[in-house]
mmCIF file of all heavy atoms in Angstrom:
data_model
loop_
_atom_site.group_PDB
_atom_site.id
_atom_site.type_symbol
_atom_site.label_atom_id
_atom_site.label_comp_id
_atom_site.label_asym_id
_atom_site.label_seq_id
_atom_site.Cartn_x
_atom_site.Cartn_y
_atom_site.Cartn_z
ATOM 1 N N LYS F 792 -5.752 -12.007 6.212
ATOM 2 C CA LYS F 792 -4.561 -12.761 5.954
ATOM 3 C C LYS F 792 -3.499 -12.397 6.935
ATOM 4 O O LYS F 792 -2.359 -13.025 6.939
ATOM 5 C CB LYS F 792 -4.014 -12.639 4.546
ATOM 6 C CG LYS F 792 -5.060 -13.094 3.500
ATOM 7 C CD LYS F 792 -4.484 -12.931 2.109
ATOM 8 C CE LYS F 792 -5.493 -13.355 1.070
ATOM 9 N NZ LYS F 792 -6.685 -12.416 0.842
ATOM 10 N N ASP F 793 -3.538 -11.278 7.715
ATOM 11 C CA ASP F 793 -2.539 -10.733 8.649
ATOM 12 C C ASP F 793 -3.233 -10.065 9.757
ATOM 13 O O ASP F 793 -3.954 -9.213 9.621
ATOM 14 C CB ASP F 793 -1.648 -9.790 7.949
ATOM 15 C CG ASP F 793 -0.475 -9.432 8.850
ATOM 16 O OD1 ASP F 793 -0.661 -9.306 10.086
ATOM 17 O OD2 ASP F 793 0.719 -9.390 8.327
ATOM 18 N N ARG F 794 -3.193 -10.799 10.950
ATOM 19 C CA ARG F 794 -3.846 -10.382 12.125
ATOM 20 C C ARG F 794 -3.449 -8.898 12.552
ATOM 21 O O ARG F 794 -4.180 -8.231 13.331
ATOM 22 C CB ARG F 794 -3.581 -11.304 13.274
ATOM 23 C CG ARG F 794 -2.077 -11.414 13.748
ATOM 24 C CD ARG F 794 -2.053 -12.524 14.846
ATOM 25 N NE ARG F 794 -0.639 -12.759 15.253
ATOM 26 C CZ ARG F 794 -0.062 -11.939 16.085
ATOM 27 N NH1 ARG F 794 -0.678 -10.942 16.640
ATOM 28 N NH2 ARG F 794 1.199 -12.131 16.386
ATOM 29 N N LYS F 795 -2.227 -8.435 12.070
ATOM 30 C CA LYS F 795 -1.848 -7.090 12.393
ATOM 31 C C LYS F 795 -2.510 -6.023 11.559
ATOM 32 O O LYS F 795 -2.379 -4.827 11.803
ATOM 33 C CB LYS F 795 -0.274 -7.030 12.281
ATOM 34 C CG LYS F 795 0.420 -7.778 13.281
ATOM 35 C CD LYS F 795 1.931 -7.542 13.121
ATOM 36 C CE LYS F 795 2.748 -8.298 14.251
ATOM 37 N NZ LYS F 795 4.202 -8.034 14.063
ATOM 38 N N GLY F 796 -3.200 -6.490 10.527
ATOM 39 C CA GLY F 796 -3.948 -5.493 9.609
ATOM 40 C C GLY F 796 -3.391 -5.584 8.248
ATOM 41 O O GLY F 796 -2.447 -6.134 7.914
ATOM 42 N N ALA F 797 -4.092 -4.774 7.330
ATOM 43 C CA ALA F 797 -3.757 -4.658 5.982
ATOM 44 C C ALA F 797 -2.291 -4.104 5.768
ATOM 45 O O ALA F 797 -1.828 -3.245 6.486
ATOM 46 C CB ALA F 797 -4.759 -3.817 5.254
ATOM 47 N N LYS F 798 -1.675 -4.687 4.787
ATOM 48 C CA LYS F 798 -0.273 -4.248 4.500
ATOM 49 C C LYS F 798 0.034 -4.555 2.940
ATOM 50 O O LYS F 798 -0.569 -5.409 2.301
ATOM 51 C CB LYS F 798 0.754 -4.834 5.367
ATOM 52 C CG LYS F 798 0.867 -6.431 5.217
ATOM 53 C CD LYS F 798 1.996 -6.984 6.132
ATOM 54 C CE LYS F 798 2.119 -8.482 5.896
ATOM 55 N NZ LYS F 798 2.966 -9.068 6.856
ATOM 56 N N ILE F 799 1.028 -3.838 2.418
ATOM 57 C CA ILE F 799 1.611 -4.117 1.172
ATOM 58 C C ILE F 799 3.143 -4.365 1.487
ATOM 59 O O ILE F 799 3.820 -3.648 2.275
ATOM 60 C CB ILE F 799 1.616 -2.885 0.297
ATOM 61 C CG1 ILE F 799 0.103 -2.616 -0.095
ATOM 62 C CG2 ILE F 799 2.441 -3.182 -0.992
ATOM 63 C CD1 ILE F 799 -0.047 -1.376 -0.952
ATOM 64 N N VAL F 800 3.525 -5.589 0.974
ATOM 65 C CA VAL F 800 4.975 -5.902 1.142
ATOM 66 C C VAL F 800 5.628 -5.747 -0.258
ATOM 67 O O VAL F 800 5.178 -6.357 -1.196
ATOM 68 C CB VAL F 800 5.071 -7.428 1.631
ATOM 69 C CG1 VAL F 800 6.580 -7.701 1.833
ATOM 70 C CG2 VAL F 800 4.318 -7.582 2.838
ATOM 71 N N LEU F 801 6.677 -4.997 -0.307
ATOM 72 C CA LEU F 801 7.316 -4.589 -1.577
ATOM 73 C C LEU F 801 8.724 -5.191 -1.548
ATOM 74 O O LEU F 801 9.541 -4.879 -0.649
ATOM 75 C CB LEU F 801 7.309 -3.145 -1.840
ATOM 76 C CG LEU F 801 7.857 -2.578 -3.120
ATOM 77 C CD1 LEU F 801 7.099 -3.132 -4.308
ATOM 78 C CD2 LEU F 801 7.863 -1.090 -3.022
ATOM 79 N N PHE F 802 9.148 -6.002 -2.518
ATOM 80 C CA PHE F 802 10.439 -6.537 -2.691
ATOM 81 C C PHE F 802 11.187 -5.938 -3.841
ATOM 82 O O PHE F 802 10.730 -6.140 -4.907
ATOM 83 C CB PHE F 802 10.388 -8.054 -2.858
ATOM 84 C CG PHE F 802 9.525 -8.837 -1.914
ATOM 85 C CD1 PHE F 802 8.182 -9.189 -2.251
ATOM 86 C CD2 PHE F 802 10.042 -9.210 -0.684
ATOM 87 C CE1 PHE F 802 7.393 -9.815 -1.337
ATOM 88 C CE2 PHE F 802 9.287 -9.845 0.240
ATOM 89 C CZ PHE F 802 7.862 -10.191 -0.097
ATOM 90 N N LEU F 803 12.270 -5.222 -3.475
ATOM 91 C CA LEU F 803 13.111 -4.548 -4.511
ATOM 92 C C LEU F 803 14.427 -5.201 -4.556
ATOM 93 O O LEU F 803 15.192 -5.158 -3.659
ATOM 94 C CB LEU F 803 13.279 -3.030 -4.266
ATOM 95 C CG LEU F 803 11.906 -2.216 -4.056
ATOM 96 C CD1 LEU F 803 12.182 -0.810 -3.819
ATOM 97 C CD2 LEU F 803 10.985 -2.461 -5.358
ATOM 98 N N PHE F 804 14.742 -5.919 -5.714
ATOM 99 C CA PHE F 804 15.941 -6.664 -5.828
ATOM 100 C C PHE F 804 17.113 -5.698 -6.243
ATOM 101 O O PHE F 804 16.867 -4.572 -6.545
ATOM 102 C CB PHE F 804 15.765 -7.688 -6.791
ATOM 103 C CG PHE F 804 14.763 -8.728 -6.354
ATOM 104 C CD1 PHE F 804 13.480 -8.820 -7.023
ATOM 105 C CD2 PHE F 804 14.933 -9.643 -5.405
ATOM 106 C CE1 PHE F 804 12.479 -9.792 -6.582
ATOM 107 C CE2 PHE F 804 14.068 -10.546 -4.920
ATOM 108 C CZ PHE F 804 12.846 -10.541 -5.500
ATOM 109 N N GLU F 805 18.324 -6.172 -6.174
ATOM 110 C CA GLU F 805 19.476 -5.352 -6.342
ATOM 111 C C GLU F 805 19.585 -4.634 -7.701
ATOM 112 O O GLU F 805 20.166 -3.571 -7.793
ATOM 113 C CB GLU F 805 20.739 -6.140 -6.067
ATOM 114 C CG GLU F 805 20.956 -7.398 -7.000
ATOM 115 C CD GLU F 805 22.186 -8.118 -6.639
ATOM 116 O OE1 GLU F 805 23.036 -7.585 -5.942
ATOM 117 O OE2 GLU F 805 22.240 -9.282 -6.980
ATOM 118 N N GLU F 806 19.008 -5.240 -8.698
ATOM 119 C CA GLU F 806 19.054 -4.568 -10.013
ATOM 120 C C GLU F 806 17.909 -3.558 -10.251
ATOM 121 O O GLU F 806 17.696 -3.006 -11.328
ATOM 122 C CB GLU F 806 19.025 -5.624 -11.166
ATOM 123 C CG GLU F 806 20.151 -6.714 -11.033
ATOM 124 C CD GLU F 806 21.460 -5.871 -11.329
ATOM 125 O OE1 GLU F 806 21.532 -4.927 -12.133
ATOM 126 O OE2 GLU F 806 22.468 -6.190 -10.697
ATOM 127 N N PHE F 807 16.964 -3.396 -9.329
ATOM 128 C CA PHE F 807 15.856 -2.574 -9.508
ATOM 129 C C PHE F 807 16.380 -1.090 -9.585
ATOM 130 O O PHE F 807 17.137 -0.631 -8.862
ATOM 131 C CB PHE F 807 14.945 -2.601 -8.193
ATOM 132 C CG PHE F 807 13.643 -1.857 -8.389
ATOM 133 C CD1 PHE F 807 12.579 -2.242 -9.255
ATOM 134 C CD2 PHE F 807 13.469 -0.557 -7.827
ATOM 135 C CE1 PHE F 807 11.459 -1.495 -9.329
ATOM 136 C CE2 PHE F 807 12.421 0.215 -7.934
ATOM 137 C CZ PHE F 807 11.302 -0.318 -8.621
ATOM 138 N N SER F 808 15.797 -0.395 -10.708
ATOM 139 C CA SER F 808 16.454 0.931 -10.940
ATOM 140 C C SER F 808 15.396 2.024 -11.209
ATOM 141 O O SER F 808 15.707 3.158 -11.602
ATOM 142 C CB SER F 808 17.283 0.751 -12.377
ATOM 143 O OG SER F 808 16.393 0.320 -13.381
ATOM 144 N N THR F 809 14.082 1.762 -10.896
ATOM 145 C CA THR F 809 13.085 2.761 -11.199
ATOM 146 C C THR F 809 12.403 3.165 -9.930
ATOM 147 O O THR F 809 11.285 3.262 -9.713
ATOM 148 C CB THR F 809 12.086 2.315 -12.189
ATOM 149 O OG1 THR F 809 11.461 1.138 -11.723
ATOM 150 C CG2 THR F 809 12.693 2.151 -13.574
ATOM 151 N N TYR F 810 13.281 3.441 -8.865
ATOM 152 C CA TYR F 810 12.767 3.981 -7.582
ATOM 153 C C TYR F 810 11.902 5.187 -7.725
ATOM 154 O O TYR F 810 10.951 5.381 -6.920
ATOM 155 C CB TYR F 810 13.902 4.273 -6.575
ATOM 156 C CG TYR F 810 14.530 3.056 -5.979
ATOM 157 C CD1 TYR F 810 15.510 2.336 -6.485
ATOM 158 C CD2 TYR F 810 14.045 2.741 -4.627
ATOM 159 C CE1 TYR F 810 16.041 1.193 -5.741
ATOM 160 C CE2 TYR F 810 14.564 1.639 -3.999
ATOM 161 C CZ TYR F 810 15.565 0.917 -4.538
ATOM 162 O OH TYR F 810 16.082 -0.106 -3.901
ATOM 163 N N TYR F 811 12.116 5.977 -8.648
ATOM 164 C CA TYR F 811 11.559 7.306 -8.868
ATOM 165 C C TYR F 811 10.035 7.049 -9.158
ATOM 166 O O TYR F 811 9.207 8.017 -8.967
ATOM 167 C CB TYR F 811 12.119 8.109 -9.926
ATOM 168 C CG TYR F 811 12.132 7.482 -11.299
ATOM 169 C CD1 TYR F 811 11.082 7.733 -12.150
ATOM 170 C CD2 TYR F 811 13.183 6.671 -11.732
ATOM 171 C CE1 TYR F 811 11.008 7.196 -13.375
ATOM 172 C CE2 TYR F 811 13.141 6.155 -12.897
ATOM 173 C CZ TYR F 811 12.112 6.339 -13.824
ATOM 174 O OH TYR F 811 12.014 5.772 -15.076
ATOM 175 N N GLU F 812 9.603 5.856 -9.531
ATOM 176 C CA GLU F 812 8.230 5.608 -9.820
ATOM 177 C C GLU F 812 7.473 5.082 -8.551
ATOM 178 O O GLU F 812 6.231 5.105 -8.488
ATOM 179 C CB GLU F 812 8.097 4.430 -10.898
ATOM 180 C CG GLU F 812 8.636 4.772 -12.223
ATOM 181 C CD GLU F 812 8.506 3.668 -13.209
ATOM 182 O OE1 GLU F 812 8.611 2.531 -12.836
ATOM 183 O OE2 GLU F 812 8.280 3.966 -14.405
ATOM 184 N N VAL F 813 8.147 4.599 -7.586
ATOM 185 C CA VAL F 813 7.540 3.972 -6.440
ATOM 186 C C VAL F 813 6.771 4.912 -5.602
ATOM 187 O O VAL F 813 5.534 4.600 -5.235
ATOM 188 C CB VAL F 813 8.626 3.236 -5.543
ATOM 189 C CG1 VAL F 813 7.963 2.466 -4.381
ATOM 190 C CG2 VAL F 813 9.295 2.228 -6.355
ATOM 191 N N ALA F 814 7.291 6.034 -5.236
ATOM 192 C CA ALA F 814 6.550 6.971 -4.391
ATOM 193 C C ALA F 814 5.289 7.429 -4.946
ATOM 194 O O ALA F 814 4.203 7.440 -4.310
ATOM 195 C CB ALA F 814 7.471 8.172 -3.950
ATOM 196 N N ASP F 815 5.277 7.667 -6.265
ATOM 197 C CA ASP F 815 4.126 8.128 -6.942
ATOM 198 C C ASP F 815 3.058 7.041 -6.978
ATOM 199 O O ASP F 815 1.882 7.312 -6.682
ATOM 200 C CB ASP F 815 4.437 8.488 -8.399
ATOM 201 C CG ASP F 815 3.405 9.188 -9.141
ATOM 202 O OD1 ASP F 815 2.483 9.860 -8.451
ATOM 203 O OD2 ASP F 815 3.319 9.187 -10.392
ATOM 204 N N ALA F 816 3.405 5.810 -7.103
ATOM 205 C CA ALA F 816 2.470 4.679 -7.088
ATOM 206 C C ALA F 816 1.846 4.541 -5.705
ATOM 207 O O ALA F 816 0.670 4.287 -5.562
ATOM 208 C CB ALA F 816 3.237 3.414 -7.426
ATOM 209 N N LEU F 817 2.666 4.602 -4.628
ATOM 210 C CA LEU F 817 2.189 4.461 -3.311
ATOM 211 C C LEU F 817 1.239 5.613 -2.889
ATOM 212 O O LEU F 817 0.163 5.404 -2.288
ATOM 213 C CB LEU F 817 3.349 4.440 -2.318
ATOM 214 C CG LEU F 817 4.310 3.181 -2.416
ATOM 215 C CD1 LEU F 817 5.399 3.301 -1.395
ATOM 216 C CD2 LEU F 817 3.545 1.877 -2.344
ATOM 217 N N PHE F 818 1.613 6.830 -3.217
ATOM 218 C CA PHE F 818 0.578 7.960 -2.997
ATOM 219 C C PHE F 818 -0.688 7.786 -3.726
ATOM 220 O O PHE F 818 -1.808 8.062 -3.256
ATOM 221 C CB PHE F 818 1.306 9.283 -3.534
ATOM 222 C CG PHE F 818 2.182 9.895 -2.568
ATOM 223 C CD1 PHE F 818 3.505 10.255 -2.870
ATOM 224 C CD2 PHE F 818 1.672 10.275 -1.304
ATOM 225 C CE1 PHE F 818 4.297 10.941 -1.925
ATOM 226 C CE2 PHE F 818 2.539 10.972 -0.431
ATOM 227 C CZ PHE F 818 3.864 11.248 -0.685
ATOM 228 N N THR F 819 -0.720 7.240 -4.946
ATOM 229 C CA THR F 819 -1.904 6.993 -5.725
ATOM 230 C C THR F 819 -2.745 5.956 -5.042
ATOM 231 O O THR F 819 -3.957 6.199 -4.996
ATOM 232 C CB THR F 819 -1.514 6.569 -7.153
ATOM 233 O OG1 THR F 819 -0.749 7.554 -7.829
ATOM 234 C CG2 THR F 819 -2.759 6.406 -8.003
#
Side-chain angles (χ1 to χ4, degrees):
K792 301 180 180 70
D793 190 317
R794 60 183 179 81
K795 292 183 180 179
K798 68 180 180 183
I799 295 173
V800 183
L801 184 60
F802 308 98
L803 304 182
F804 299 105
E805 58 183 341
E806 297 298 323
F807 185 77
S808 61
T809 55
Y810 276 87
Y811 62 91
E812 296 180 325
V813 178
D815 194 23
L817 297 179
F818 274 125
T819 303

